Amino acid sequence: MREENATSIEYFKDPRRIVDLLNGIVFQGRQIITTDNLVEKNPVIHNVYRKNNKVVAIENTPDLSIMMAWKNLKFLFMIQIQTLEHYAMPVRLLHEKGTDYYNQWKKLQKAHKNCDDLKDSPERLSGMKKTDRFYPVLQIVIYFGKERWQAAFQMDDLTRTRVFPEELRKLFAEKPMLLFEVYHFQNIEWFQTDLRQVCGFLQRTNDKTALQEYVKENEAVFSRLEEDTFDLLTVMSGIRAMKLIKRDVENVGGGFDMCKAFDDMMRDSKREGKREGRREGKREGKREAEEQMSKLIQKLISAGRITDLQQASNNKKYRKKLMAELGIA
């Protein structure tokens, strides 16, 4: 699954899509966050490297994180991309968020130690001042599975706290994780980038006719896809033929023409169908000839016509004559 993870990370590292994702999922399409809210224009990519000319991602770490600002406050937006269900996802998210808060705390400790400005015992014990603040962490899981997410949504699902008395249970209550199921998200019109078309495309991969119609209806977008979008659709849809013809559908002015890719694949499919039909026709003709010869041999042997059998085996014209005589069709 590393190719799928790496390709999706490459796609979502675009700041425009990060903003679109946040506005679509959190604000239901309202354009609240813009790229101007990004403190960093390039997100941090965790544990991704190149090997054998391929982008490879190491799992069990947050895939992307980017610092964002709202007015004079900052928050960290973490993106975790999954192609398979992870049964311990709430644990992973808690660990990743807790690790970031811990690192923020240690950074404060170091800064105060260098300044030597902690005065009283509580400050020295805490390694920070009472007025110090942490930036919050927002996490989202992007799930590319074709089936709905059936794994845990929150720690309560893993700890079985529902059996506790209500007074105790509510003390353990946590908010469910923020989950974006690409194949099942219904309100794709909330997205303003090609993330809308990515969802629409992948949600139709089980229906070839519907997929072709969707690509045609959105020709303005699909005729000039960015490379990372083309790669994402190729890998996630499982239509490997698109990978083989990628350079053939590259536009002179930039981008990749998915409409042409579909036309090319349909032509290739029809040609292959015709070739297979001809091959099948030849195989069927051969089987029929073998059956006719078998019937002829049986009848000639039964009639004791060995000389005719010998002549028929070497003379096609004579063989046809005997078949007609004996009523072998």
Side-chain angles (χ1 to χ4, degrees):
M1 294 298 162
R2 287 187 174 182
E3 183 183 10
E4 287 87 345
N5 287 343
T7 306
S8 55
I9 291 170
E10 188 71 18
Y11 176 81
F12 277 106
K13 77 176 185 180
D14 188 319
R16 298 168 302 164
R17 296 179 186 128
I18 292 175
V19 167
D20 196 30
L21 176 67
L22 196 56
N23 283 329
I25 300 299
V26 177
F27 298 105
Q28 300 181 341
R30 289 178 292 136
Q31 301 303 292
I32 304 299
I33 304 294
T34 71
T35 52
D36 292 335
N37 295 109
L38 303 182
V39 177
E40 306 157 308
K41 298 303 179 184
N42 296 310
V44 177
I45 302 175
H46 299 270
N47 295 312
V48 174
Y49 63 95
R50 279 195 173 272
K51 182 179 180 181
N52 298 329
N53 204 31
K54 277 188 176 182
V55 180
V56 179
I58 298 176
E59 298 179 357
N60 299 320
T61 60
D63 292 314
L64 294 170
S65 63
I66 188 165
M67 189 65 71
M68 309 187 81
W70 179 254
K71 297 183 178 179
N72 61 337
L73 301 176
K74 295 192 300 182
F75 68 93
L76 185 67
F77 187 36
M78 280 186 177
I79 299 174
Q80 180 64 49
I81 301 171
Q82 292 295 128
T83 54
L84 294 174
E85 284 184 315
H86 194 306
Y87 298 141
M89 183 54 68
V91 178
R92 280 192 58 186
L93 295 177
L94 279 175
H95 173 72
E96 291 162 7
K97 181 182 284 189
T99 298
D100 192 85
Y101 284 140
Y102 180 81
N103 290 337
Q104 289 185 56
W105 175 47
K106 300 307 287 185
K107 188 175 181 180
L108 279 172
Q109 283 184 318
K110 185 175 181 180
H112 285 303
K113 184 177 180 180
N114 291 337
C115 295
D116 193 24
D117 60 351
L118 298 180
K119 304 303 180 185
D120 57 30
S121 296
E123 287 185 349
R124 287 192 292 271
L125 173 65
S126 305
M128 57 182 286
K129 290 180 176 293
K130 188 176 182 178
T131 54
D132 286 334
R133 291 294 179 267
F134 294 74
Y135 57 77
V137 176
L138 175 63
Q139 296 166 298
I140 185 170
V141 175
I142 302 174
Y143 180 50
F144 278 96
K146 291 186 178 182
E147 303 298 327
R148 298 303 297 257
W149 181 275
Q150 298 295 325
F153 279 83
Q154 58 200 71
M155 284 303 300
D156 293 358
D157 298 329
L158 296 175
T159 56
R160 300 177 181 174
T161 54
R162 291 181 179 84
V163 302
F164 294 162
E166 183 180 354
E167 295 83 356
L168 182 58
R169 185 173 66 244
K170 65 183 181 182
L171 298 177
F172 294 103
E174 296 176 2
K175 289 185 178 180
M177 66 184 185
L178 186 58
L179 178 69
F180 170 39
E181 296 181 275
V182 177
Y183 278 85
H184 300 281
F185 188 74
Q186 296 300 308
N187 302 108
I188 63 174
E189 71 278 0
W190 289 349
F191 299 125
Q192 305 302 312
T193 66
D194 61 9
L195 181 54
R196 178 189 299 185
Q197 283 74 30
V198 165
C199 292
F201 185 99
L202 294 178
Q203 289 173 9
R204 291 166 173 81
T205 50
N206 288 333
D207 186 335
K208 185 170 68 174
T209 301
L211 180 59
Q212 287 178 300
E213 290 176 354
Y214 184 75
V215 170
K216 189 68 175 176
E217 290 168 4
N218 293 270
E219 186 175 359
V221 175
F222 285 108
S223 62
R224 53 175 186 274
L225 290 177
E226 295 180 39
E227 185 169 12
D228 52 6
T229 308
F230 188 93
D231 291 342
L232 180 74
L233 293 178
T234 298
V235 172
M236 293 302 180
S237 68
I239 307 176
R240 296 295 176 174
M242 295 199 306
K243 192 172 186 178
L244 300 175
I245 63 174
K246 176 180 175 180
R247 292 304 164 189
D248 295 333
V249 298
E250 186 173 5
N251 298 324
V252 176
F256 293 80
D257 192 341
M258 181 68 76
C259 301
K260 184 177 184 302
F262 264 63
D263 290 341
D264 290 350
M265 285 188 294
M266 286 302 296
R267 276 196 301 271
D268 291 344
S269 177
K270 287 178 180 178
R271 282 197 293 266
E272 180 57 31
K274 289 179 180 178
R275 284 195 292 267
E276 181 58 31
R278 287 193 292 270
R279 287 194 292 266
E280 182 58 33
K282 290 178 181 179
R283 287 193 291 267
E284 185 62 32
K286 185 178 179 181
R287 283 194 296 269
E288 185 177 344
E290 289 173 348
E291 289 174 3
Q292 289 174 341
M293 189 62 186
S294 177
K295 290 178 182 179
L296 179 62
I297 291 171
Q298 290 176 11
K299 289 194 175 188
L300 290 176
I301 291 176
S302 298
R305 299 170 62 178
I306 304 304
T307 302
D308 286 336
L309 177 58
Q310 291 173 338
Q311 189 174 351
S313 64
N314 298 313
N315 190 320
K316 184 177 180 181
K317 188 175 181 181
Y318 187 67
R319 184 163 62 245
K320 286 186 176 180
K321 179 184 175 183
L322 290 174
M323 287 182 180
E325 176 191 328
L326 298 172
I328 300 174

